[in-house]
Amino acid sequence: MDNWQEQFDESPGYLDFARVGPPSRAVLEESAAAMARLAAADASTVDDLMTADLRARGAVARLCGATEDRVALLPHTSQGLFQAAFSVPPGAVLVSAAEFPANTYPWLRAEEAGRLTVHRLRPRDGRMTPEAVAAALTPDTTVVAVSAVDFRTGYRADLAALRDVVGDRLLVVDGIQGVGVVDEPWAAADILVCGGQKWLRAGWGTGFAVLSDRALARTAPLLSGWTGVRDAGVFDDEIHERAPGAQAWSVTNLSPVTAAALARALELVEEIGPGVVVRRIAERVAELDDVLRAAGAEIVSATDRRAGILAFHVPGRATGDVAAALAGAGVTATVRPDQIRLSPHISTGPGAVDRVRTALSRVAAHSV
């Protein structure tokens, strides 16, 4: 796609894609068209709109190297992780204590319900490395849950190595900070869950799960609703058995509008080229890294296995002062008490890098 730059309208200094990715024009148009179709509803409207589900699942399958029957659409990552936590067999789940809460509470709630036991690992630097996981495995460990990319450290998990370490146990991966920004062997995950509102730029209310053969064989989704059973449209006052494949994860019909948005967002990634997206994000992160180091900032996020997250602080300067300088230069970033997180995307231009440079120059000038 030669004119992909014309698809994006975020402000030039927007560097907060790890928080939310502004949708493309194509996604806006797709969503508006679906809503307009609904507003002018006729006899075929609902059935026509519902085809977006199949279209979105096909796009997910192509991106993640799966088949459509292994894909379930979700409204967000959290529902997928709750589905996983209340689907896996009894045993112990190993999860980092430093995980984003979305990948913590589902397991704890399942533990409260008496379905499993949670072992919270506190690895060095918060990284779920293969070595840390291997050392923490016990005979009763049945599930290992990790993030593809850690929200705080930016560390990119080595999924291939983790697959080898985990062995025949289930590997559950929260992919929201990784899918669409890094090239990983997603098939290494038994359950891959991802929301579409960040790096995939599909907007809120979009997401999916991809299940392996191992996951389908060993899990029984407790949270399976009326659309997750065989012959869901047959209302015969009987309790139907769960549907085959990932369809069993369905609780109810999702919005065909958000399904269309997710489908179009993923199709746009295909049109641009997933490799192009990954490469250009990495290049922009490297440019920002150079600017930060030249200004005396300390990089506190991962540098060896990084994705799209670049976190830093400036020694001797209050984080609030640095954040104010960035905001004054028109830079949008995630600000935490001890660090600032920058996260560019393919549409991030060199002007954003210049704005960061300008802001840090002002910080340095005021510290003299």
Side-chain angles (χ1 to χ4, degrees), residues 27 56 59-60 73 196 200 202 206-208 257-267:
V27 169
V60 171
L73 298 189
L200 294 176
T206 61
F208 59 84
V257 177
T258 57
L262 177 62
R264 190 66 190 99
L266 295 176
E267 290 163 357

Side-chain angles (χ1 to χ4, degrees), residues 7-356:
Q7 284 289 332
F8 305 106
D9 295 315
E10 74 269 14
S11 62
Y14 191 86
L15 289 169
D16 208 10
F17 287 90
R19 186 181 186 194
V20 64
S24 64
R25 293 182 182 179
V27 169
L28 291 180
E29 292 166 2
E30 190 79 28
S31 301
M35 286 296 288
R37 181 76 177 88
L38 182 59
D42 57 27
S44 64
T45 297
V46 174
D47 290 338
D48 289 347
L49 288 177
M50 287 298 180
T51 62
D53 181 283
L54 182 60
R55 181 178 152 208
R57 287 193 290 118
V60 171
R62 292 191 298 273
L63 180 65
C64 298
T67 55
E68 293 174 13
D69 63 320
R70 298 296 191 263
V71 178
L73 298 189
L74 305 166
H76 39 66
T77 308
S78 289
Q79 179 165 322
L81 291 169
F82 266 99
Q83 282 282 20
F86 282 83
S87 298
V88 298
V93 175
L94 180 65
V95 63
S96 172
E99 268 288 357
F100 189 78
N103 201 9
T104 298
Y105 286 100
W107 307 109
L108 295 176
R109 298 301 180 237
E111 182 179 47
E112 289 176 3
R115 296 182 60 86
L116 48 81
T117 301
V118 178
H119 293 167
R120 301 185 72 198
L121 176 61
R122 299 182 184 276
R124 185 174 63 87
D125 299 328
R127 299 185 179 191
M128 289 287 277
T129 63
E131 295 77 14
V133 170
L137 293 175
T138 62
D140 62 341
T141 304
T142 55
V143 177
V144 174
V146 301
S147 285
V149 177
D150 183 72
F151 80 106
R152 185 182 289 112
T153 66
Y155 172 72
R156 177 168 55 89
D158 189 339
L159 296 186
L162 284 173
R163 176 76 272 164
D164 291 339
V165 166
V166 170
D168 197 42
R169 300 172 177 88
L170 293 177
L171 178 61
V172 179
V173 177
D174 177 348
I176 196 168
Q177 293 290 8
V179 177
V181 62
V182 292
D183 183 16
E184 282 290 323
W186 302 117
D190 291 302
I191 300 176
L192 171 66
V193 180
C194 182
Q197 78 274 23
K198 297 182 185 287
W199 299 97
L200 294 176
R201 308 181 71 159
W204 282 294
T206 61
F208 59 84
V210 181
L211 312 181
S212 72
D213 289 341
R214 184 188 289 108
L216 290 175
R218 296 188 187 172
T219 59
L222 180 65
L223 308 180
S224 183
W226 74 273
T227 54
V229 301
R230 292 182 183 272
D231 300 321
V234 176
F235 306 116
D236 54 5
D237 300 335
E238 298 296 331
I239 302 300
H240 298 192
E241 65 176 323
R242 291 186 180 91
Q247 182 61 31
W249 276 38
S250 179
V251 175
T252 189
N253 288 319
L254 298 180
S255 164
V257 177
T258 57
L262 177 62
R264 190 66 190 99
L266 295 176
E267 290 163 357
L268 185 60
V269 172
E270 290 182 287
E271 292 166 15
I272 297 171
V276 174
V277 176
V278 170
R279 183 175 68 254
R280 291 184 69 97
I281 292 175
E283 290 171 352
R284 199 61 80 198
V285 168
E287 292 173 8
L288 288 166
D289 185 289
D290 289 341
V291 168
L292 292 172
R293 293 182 188 277
E298 180 180 349
I299 308 299
V300 297
S301 54
T303 57
D304 50 343
R305 293 190 58 83
R306 67 172 23 151
I309 290 174
L310 184 59
F312 74 97
H313 70 83
V314 179
R317 301 296 296 172
T319 301
D321 293 341
V322 179
L326 287 168
V331 174
T332 301
T334 296
V335 179
R336 296 198 171 96
D338 58 343
Q339 64 175 241
I340 296 172
R341 186 181 69 181
L342 304 178
S343 47
H345 208 281
I346 186 173
S347 56
T348 304
V353 180
D354 292 336
R355 289 168 184 252
V356 173

